[in-house]
Amino acid sequence: MTAAKALQEAVTEPDRVWFRFMRLHQRMLMQMTARIRMLGLSIPQFDLLSTLTEQEGISQSELAERLYVTKGNVSGLVDRLVQAGLVERRAIAGDRRSYAMHLTPEGRRLAEAGIAAQRDFVANTLGKLKPDDLAELDRLVLVWRDLARAVDAE
C-alpha cells in the first residue's frame, strides 16, 4: 500500500462515522430489545414503565411528552398495560378528564428488572471504556447533539 493510499484510508469521513454510529445504534437496540422481551415487554412498554418509576402520578399527556410520542399512542399503550395489570389509572381530583398513571406492584417489578438489564448491558459495553475515553465520547456526543439541534433551528 502506498503512503498516499494509507493516508487516504486514515482520513475518517463523516459519512463513514455516521454509518458506524447508526449500525451500532441498531445493534444495541436489537440487543436491548431481546433482553426486554425476555421480561415479556416491548421497548415502548418498558419505556413507559421505567418513566413511571421516575415520576409516578403524571397524566397521560405528560407521559406522552416525556416519551416523545402522541397522546393517542400513549393512550393505547396505557390501555394495554392496564389490561395486563401493570399500570393503574387513578382519578385526579378536580379534573374529570385526566387520570394519574401509577405502577402496580407487578409493573414496578418488571420496570426494575428492565432497568437492571439495561444497567447490566451498559456496564458490559460502554462501562468497559477507560474513563478518559468515556469522557471524550460524552463530549463528542454532546457536540454532535448540539449541531443536530442547530439544524432543527434553521
Side-chain angles (χ1 to χ4, degrees):
M1 177 181 298
T2 68
K5 178 77 172 164
L7 181 60
Q8 182 181 11
E9 287 184 6
V11 174
T12 305
E13 297 177 13
D15 285 348
R16 181 177 288 167
V17 174
W18 167 261
F19 284 116
R20 282 186 182 143
F21 186 83
M22 295 309 294
R23 284 190 295 269
L24 174 60
H25 172 265
Q26 189 62 34
R27 177 183 301 270
M28 290 185 302
L29 184 59
M30 287 175 19
Q31 290 172 330
M32 272 310 302
T33 297
R35 285 165 171 77
I36 296 302
R37 286 209 183 282
M38 288 173 55
L39 299 171
L41 297 172
S42 67
I43 291 292
Q45 289 170 330
F46 170 65
D47 284 346
L48 191 147
L49 295 177
S50 65
T51 297
L52 288 178
T53 66
E54 297 168 4
Q55 187 172 359
E56 217 167 343
I58 61 176
S59 69
Q60 283 186 197
S61 293
E62 292 169 308
L63 202 47
E65 287 176 24
R66 287 174 145 253
L67 295 172
Y68 300 103
V69 297
T70 66
K71 292 175 189 174
N73 283 349
V74 137
S75 181
L77 190 54
V78 168
D79 286 345
R80 290 186 293 282
L81 291 172
V82 166
Q83 287 175 339
L86 304 177
V87 172
E88 295 176 345
R89 286 185 177 103
R90 297 182 190 165
I92 297 175
D95 188 345
R96 296 186 322 194
R97 296 185 311 163
S98 295
Y99 293 90
M101 303 296 108
H102 291 270
L103 293 169
T104 65
E106 179 63 6
R108 181 166 300 282
R109 184 192 72 74
L110 284 174
E112 289 173 355
I115 291 167
Q118 185 175 5
R119 283 189 180 130
D120 182 61
F121 179 73
V122 171
N124 285 306
T125 56
L126 206 53
K128 292 191 174 186
L129 291 179
K130 296 176 196 170
D132 288 348
D133 290 342
L134 184 59
E136 180 65 2
L137 178 59
D138 187 44
R139 185 189 72 75
L140 292 171
V141 167
L142 291 174
V143 169
W144 192 4
R145 178 204 62 194
D146 292 344
L147 291 169
R149 285 179 175 171
V151 169
D152 284 344
E154 291 177 352

